[in-house]
Structures are given as C-alpha cells and as structure tokens.
Amino acid sequence: MTPNAKSLALRFRDNLVMALRFFSRLPTGGGPHERPELGRIAVVLPLAAVIMGISPVAVLVGGAALGLPAYSAATLSVAAMVVIGGAMMEDALADAADGLFGGHTRLRRLEILKDSRHGSYGVAALCLFLLLRVSALGSIIAIDPLLAGLVWLSANVAGRSASLWLAVDLPLARPEGAAATVGALPRRQFIVGAALAALLVFLGAPTLGVLIALPVLALVVWSWGRLCHRLVGGQTGDLIGAAAALGEITVLTVLLIFV
C-alpha cells in the first residue's frame, strides 16, 4: 500500500469511528476521541448506519428463524436498535414534536426543544414511531425475514443520510447545542454521503420501490426543513434527528408497498 493510500485508509477509519461514536453506543476501541466534525461524519454515515444495524437485523432474522412470532421478532429487533443508537433518534423525535408543536413563539419553541422532559406531543410521536417500525417490520418478516432486515437497513441508511440536508440548507436555530458543536456541513460532503446511501439502498431493497421511495424521502425531508425554518428559524440537533426518524419511516412505508 502506498503512503497516500495508507493515509486515506486511516482517514476513512477515523471518520467511521467518529461517526459511530457520535451516533451509537457501540464499542470503538480506546483511541483518542476527536472533536466531531459533521463534514467528516457525513461521507461515512451510510456505512456507520449499516454497522449499527447489523445486530438488530441479526436479532430480527434470528428470532424469526427460532420460531418467534413476526411481531415479537420485530419488537426485539427495534429494541436492539434503540439500545445501540442510545435512543438518540427517538429522543430527538420526541423533543422536536414537543418543541415545534408545544410552543406559540420561536423563543418558546426553542426553550421546549432544550427541555429533556417529554410532553404529550413528544410521547405521542415516540409511540407512533415505534409502532410504525414494529408493524412494518412484522408485516415483512411474515413474508421473508431476511428481506425485512435488508429493507430496514435500507430505510435507516436513507433516513439518516437524508436528514443531514437540514445542516446544509438551514442556519443554526441557536448558537449552542449538538448541531453547533459539530460544525458546518459542506454541500459536497453531503452529496458524497447521500450518493453512497443511495447505492446501498438500491443494493438492499426492491428497485422499483427505491425509485419511488427516494424522491418521496427528499420531499419529506425538504418539507420538514421548511417547517423547522418557519417555526424556529433554522435547525438543531434534535430537528436533524427527527428528520432521520421521519425519513426512515417514510422509506420503510413506501418499500412496504413493493414487498
């Protein structure tokens, strides 16, 4: 391996470790923790999402192979994903629902977004998200457990990568918080990550379904971004995390039609 190739490989490894440390609770070794940079994370996030999804998919397929009812296997696999992701996506969705819909002014919405407690909107959004995940996966498991795992991986990869569009398109809604600490996301890095995500989705899900799901995903994330901009003037880490959850459910629902 040439010095340049070795340097690129090490850089890629470091970026992947950074993404896993930021988005998951998976062990990543004892190396030093670098300050997260969204530009570096974005290009490898699709692969990080695949790594995060391996164990939940194994639970899903293994549970079905052992004879568990489809919805029991789906519930256990969703629980595994929540644990591996540190419930970050779920917490972000709940906070975003409370913040955007529980306040009547921009400042009040931002105050609610910072509050770690969940209100009625947040609890309802969280419950619906988990129910939609479990019901979609359970339906596909009843047909083909392996296909269910691949479709879920595809939906998760697409949703996570697409959600980063908010960091490209919108300003920070407040100068502090998770979104502010990871820096700006250049458009080029977002495009590279999105292209890799699209490739992985095409490899893992029915082609016709993907051709319809990706434009629908783009529309949902864009619309969510417009809503965030109108209600709070920009994006936060919670709003990006909520976009990932909405994106996953969007792709999962569309692909469910073509299974």
Side-chain angles (χ1 to χ4, degrees), residues 10-24 26-34 40-41 44 48 51:
L10 290 174
R11 181 74 168 176
F12 177 84
R13 182 203 64 187
D14 291 344
N15 291 350
L16 188 58
V17 168
M18 180 184 290
L20 290 171
R21 285 175 174 172
F22 189 77
F23 283 105
S24 81
L26 291 173
T28 54
H33 284 243
E34 298 182 77
R40 292 173 59 185
I41 290 173
V44 297
I51 293 172

Short mmCIF file of all heavy atoms in Angstrom, two decimals, residues 10-24 26-34 40-41 44 48 51:
data_model
loop_
_atom_site.label_atom_id
_atom_site.label_comp_id
_atom_site.label_asym_id
_atom_site.label_seq_id
_atom_site.Cartn_x
_atom_site.Cartn_y
_atom_site.Cartn_z
N LEU A 10 -6.49 5.27 6.71
CA LEU A 10 -6.53 5.68 8.11
C LEU A 10 -7.54 6.79 8.32
O LEU A 10 -8.26 6.80 9.33
CB LEU A 10 -5.14 6.14 8.56
CG LEU A 10 -4.09 5.04 8.68
CD1 LEU A 10 -2.71 5.64 8.98
CD2 LEU A 10 -4.46 4.03 9.77
N ARG A 11 -7.60 7.72 7.38
CA ARG A 11 -8.56 8.81 7.48
C ARG A 11 -9.99 8.28 7.43
O ARG A 11 -10.85 8.72 8.19
CB ARG A 11 -8.33 9.79 6.31
CG ARG A 11 -9.25 11.00 6.29
CD ARG A 11 -8.88 11.98 7.35
NE ARG A 11 -9.56 13.26 7.15
CZ ARG A 11 -9.48 14.29 7.98
NH1 ARG A 11 -8.72 14.20 9.07
NH2 ARG A 11 -10.12 15.41 7.75
N PHE A 12 -10.22 7.32 6.53
CA PHE A 12 -11.55 6.73 6.42
C PHE A 12 -11.91 6.02 7.72
O PHE A 12 -13.04 6.15 8.22
CB PHE A 12 -11.57 5.74 5.26
CG PHE A 12 -12.87 5.00 5.11
CD1 PHE A 12 -13.93 5.57 4.43
CD2 PHE A 12 -13.03 3.73 5.68
CE1 PHE A 12 -15.13 4.89 4.31
CE2 PHE A 12 -14.23 3.06 5.55
CZ PHE A 12 -15.28 3.64 4.87
N ARG A 13 -10.96 5.26 8.28
CA ARG A 13 -11.22 4.56 9.55
C ARG A 13 -11.55 5.54 10.66
O ARG A 13 -12.49 5.34 11.43
CB ARG A 13 -10.00 3.72 9.93
CG ARG A 13 -10.19 2.90 11.20
CD ARG A 13 -8.86 2.57 11.84
NE ARG A 13 -8.16 3.78 12.29
CZ ARG A 13 -6.93 3.79 12.75
NH1 ARG A 13 -6.22 2.66 12.80
NH2 ARG A 13 -6.36 4.92 13.16
N ASP A 14 -10.77 6.61 10.74
CA ASP A 14 -11.00 7.61 11.78
C ASP A 14 -12.37 8.27 11.62
O ASP A 14 -13.06 8.54 12.61
CB ASP A 14 -9.91 8.67 11.75
CG ASP A 14 -8.55 8.12 12.19
OD1 ASP A 14 -8.51 7.04 12.79
OD2 ASP A 14 -7.53 8.78 11.90
N ASN A 15 -12.76 8.55 10.39
CA ASN A 15 -14.07 9.15 10.14
C ASN A 15 -15.19 8.21 10.56
O ASN A 15 -16.20 8.62 11.14
CB ASN A 15 -14.23 9.51 8.66
CG ASN A 15 -13.33 10.65 8.24
OD1 ASN A 15 -12.71 11.31 9.08
ND2 ASN A 15 -13.23 10.87 6.94
N LEU A 16 -15.01 6.91 10.26
CA LEU A 16 -16.04 5.93 10.60
C LEU A 16 -16.15 5.78 12.12
O LEU A 16 -17.27 5.71 12.66
CB LEU A 16 -15.69 4.58 9.96
CG LEU A 16 -16.74 3.48 10.06
CD1 LEU A 16 -18.06 3.92 9.44
CD2 LEU A 16 -16.24 2.21 9.38
N VAL A 17 -15.03 5.75 12.80
CA VAL A 17 -15.04 5.69 14.26
C VAL A 17 -15.73 6.93 14.83
O VAL A 17 -16.54 6.84 15.77
CB VAL A 17 -13.61 5.57 14.81
CG1 VAL A 17 -13.57 5.80 16.32
CG2 VAL A 17 -13.03 4.19 14.49
N MET A 18 -15.44 8.09 14.25
CA MET A 18 -16.08 9.32 14.72
C MET A 18 -17.59 9.25 14.57
O MET A 18 -18.35 9.64 15.47
CB MET A 18 -15.53 10.51 13.93
CG MET A 18 -16.12 11.86 14.32
SD MET A 18 -15.52 13.21 13.29
CE MET A 18 -13.81 13.31 13.84
N ALA A 19 -18.05 8.75 13.43
CA ALA A 19 -19.49 8.64 13.19
C ALA A 19 -20.14 7.66 14.16
O ALA A 19 -21.22 7.93 14.71
CB ALA A 19 -19.74 8.20 11.75
N LEU A 20 -19.50 6.53 14.40
CA LEU A 20 -20.05 5.54 15.33
C LEU A 20 -20.09 6.08 16.76
O LEU A 20 -21.04 5.82 17.51
CB LEU A 20 -19.25 4.25 15.27
CG LEU A 20 -19.40 3.44 13.97
CD1 LEU A 20 -18.39 2.31 13.93
CD2 LEU A 20 -20.82 2.89 13.84
N ARG A 21 -19.07 6.82 17.14
CA ARG A 21 -19.06 7.38 18.49
C ARG A 21 -20.12 8.46 18.65
O ARG A 21 -20.68 8.62 19.74
CB ARG A 21 -17.67 7.95 18.79
CG ARG A 21 -16.62 6.89 19.07
CD ARG A 21 -15.23 7.48 19.25
NE ARG A 21 -14.29 6.44 19.67
CZ ARG A 21 -12.97 6.62 19.77
NH1 ARG A 21 -12.44 7.80 19.47
NH2 ARG A 21 -12.20 5.63 20.16
N PHE A 22 -20.40 9.17 17.59
CA PHE A 22 -21.37 10.26 17.67
C PHE A 22 -22.80 9.73 17.67
O PHE A 22 -23.67 10.24 18.38
CB PHE A 22 -21.17 11.23 16.50
CG PHE A 22 -21.98 12.48 16.63
CD1 PHE A 22 -21.59 13.50 17.49
CD2 PHE A 22 -23.14 12.66 15.88
CE1 PHE A 22 -22.34 14.66 17.61
CE2 PHE A 22 -23.89 13.82 15.99
CZ PHE A 22 -23.49 14.83 16.86
N PHE A 23 -23.07 8.70 16.86
CA PHE A 23 -24.45 8.24 16.65
C PHE A 23 -24.80 6.95 17.38
O PHE A 23 -25.96 6.53 17.34
CB PHE A 23 -24.72 8.04 15.16
CG PHE A 23 -24.94 9.31 14.41
CD1 PHE A 23 -23.95 9.81 13.58
CD2 PHE A 23 -26.12 10.02 14.53
CE1 PHE A 23 -24.15 11.00 12.88
CE2 PHE A 23 -26.33 11.20 13.84
CZ PHE A 23 -25.33 11.70 13.02
N SER A 24 -23.83 6.29 18.01
CA SER A 24 -24.13 4.98 18.60
C SER A 24 -23.44 4.79 19.93
O SER A 24 -22.64 5.63 20.36
CB SER A 24 -23.72 3.86 17.64
OG SER A 24 -22.33 3.60 17.73
N LEU A 26 -21.90 1.75 20.32
CA LEU A 26 -21.06 0.61 20.01
C LEU A 26 -19.63 0.86 20.47
O LEU A 26 -19.13 1.99 20.42
CB LEU A 26 -21.07 0.36 18.49
CG LEU A 26 -22.37 -0.15 17.89
CD1 LEU A 26 -22.27 -0.18 16.38
CD2 LEU A 26 -22.72 -1.54 18.43
N PRO A 27 -18.93 -0.20 20.90
CA PRO A 27 -17.51 -0.04 21.29
C PRO A 27 -16.66 0.28 20.06
O PRO A 27 -16.83 -0.33 19.01
CB PRO A 27 -17.16 -1.40 21.88
CG PRO A 27 -18.14 -2.36 21.28
CD PRO A 27 -19.40 -1.59 21.08
N THR A 28 -15.76 1.24 20.22
CA THR A 28 -14.92 1.66 19.09
C THR A 28 -13.44 1.70 19.44
O THR A 28 -12.66 2.38 18.77
CB THR A 28 -15.35 3.05 18.59
OG1 THR A 28 -15.34 3.97 19.69
CG2 THR A 28 -16.74 3.01 17.97
N GLY A 29 -13.05 0.97 20.47
CA GLY A 29 -11.64 0.95 20.83
C GLY A 29 -11.28 2.07 21.79
O GLY A 29 -12.09 2.94 22.12
N GLY A 30 -10.05 2.05 22.19
CA GLY A 30 -9.60 3.01 23.20
C GLY A 30 -8.83 4.19 22.65
O GLY A 30 -8.13 4.88 23.40
N GLY A 31 -8.92 4.42 21.36
CA GLY A 31 -8.21 5.55 20.76
C GLY A 31 -8.75 6.87 21.25
O GLY A 31 -9.84 6.96 21.82
N PRO A 32 -7.99 7.95 21.03
CA PRO A 32 -8.42 9.27 21.49
C PRO A 32 -9.70 9.71 20.79
O PRO A 32 -9.91 9.41 19.62
CB PRO A 32 -7.24 10.18 21.13
CG PRO A 32 -6.52 9.45 20.04
CD PRO A 32 -6.70 8.00 20.34
N HIS A 33 -10.54 10.42 21.51
CA HIS A 33 -11.79 10.93 20.95
C HIS A 33 -11.54 12.29 20.31
O HIS A 33 -11.14 13.24 20.99
CB HIS A 33 -12.86 11.05 22.04
CG HIS A 33 -13.44 9.73 22.44
ND1 HIS A 33 -14.77 9.42 22.27
CD2 HIS A 33 -12.87 8.62 22.99
CE1 HIS A 33 -15.00 8.19 22.71
NE2 HIS A 33 -13.86 7.69 23.16
N GLU A 34 -11.77 12.36 19.01
CA GLU A 34 -11.64 13.63 18.32
C GLU A 34 -12.93 14.43 18.43
O GLU A 34 -14.02 13.88 18.64
CB GLU A 34 -11.33 13.41 16.84
CG GLU A 34 -10.03 12.68 16.56
CD GLU A 34 -9.78 12.56 15.07
OE1 GLU A 34 -9.36 13.56 14.46
OE2 GLU A 34 -10.04 11.47 14.53
N ARG A 40 -16.87 15.37 8.07
CA ARG A 40 -16.22 14.06 8.04
C ARG A 40 -17.21 12.94 8.30
O ARG A 40 -17.12 11.86 7.71
CB ARG A 40 -15.09 14.02 9.07
CG ARG A 40 -13.91 14.93 8.75
CD ARG A 40 -12.91 14.96 9.89
NE ARG A 40 -12.40 13.63 10.20
CZ ARG A 40 -11.58 13.37 11.23
NH1 ARG A 40 -11.20 14.36 12.03
NH2 ARG A 40 -11.16 12.13 11.43
N ILE A 41 -18.17 13.18 9.17
CA ILE A 41 -19.16 12.17 9.52
C ILE A 41 -20.08 11.87 8.34
O ILE A 41 -20.42 10.72 8.08
CB ILE A 41 -19.97 12.62 10.75
CG1 ILE A 41 -19.09 12.60 12.00
CG2 ILE A 41 -21.21 11.75 10.93
CD1 ILE A 41 -19.76 13.18 13.23
N VAL A 44 -19.31 9.10 5.65
CA VAL A 44 -19.26 7.69 6.08
C VAL A 44 -20.51 7.27 6.85
O VAL A 44 -20.62 6.10 7.24
CB VAL A 44 -18.01 7.42 6.95
CG1 VAL A 44 -16.74 7.64 6.16
CG2 VAL A 44 -18.03 8.27 8.22
N ALA A 48 -21.71 3.68 8.63
CA ALA A 48 -21.91 3.61 10.07
C ALA A 48 -23.32 3.11 10.39
O ALA A 48 -23.51 2.31 11.32
CB ALA A 48 -21.69 5.00 10.69
N ILE A 51 -23.39 -0.63 10.01
CA ILE A 51 -22.75 -1.29 11.15
C ILE A 51 -23.68 -1.28 12.36
O ILE A 51 -23.82 -2.28 13.07
CB ILE A 51 -21.41 -0.61 11.47
CG1 ILE A 51 -20.41 -0.83 10.33
CG2 ILE A 51 -20.84 -1.13 12.79
CD1 ILE A 51 -19.13 -0.04 10.47
#
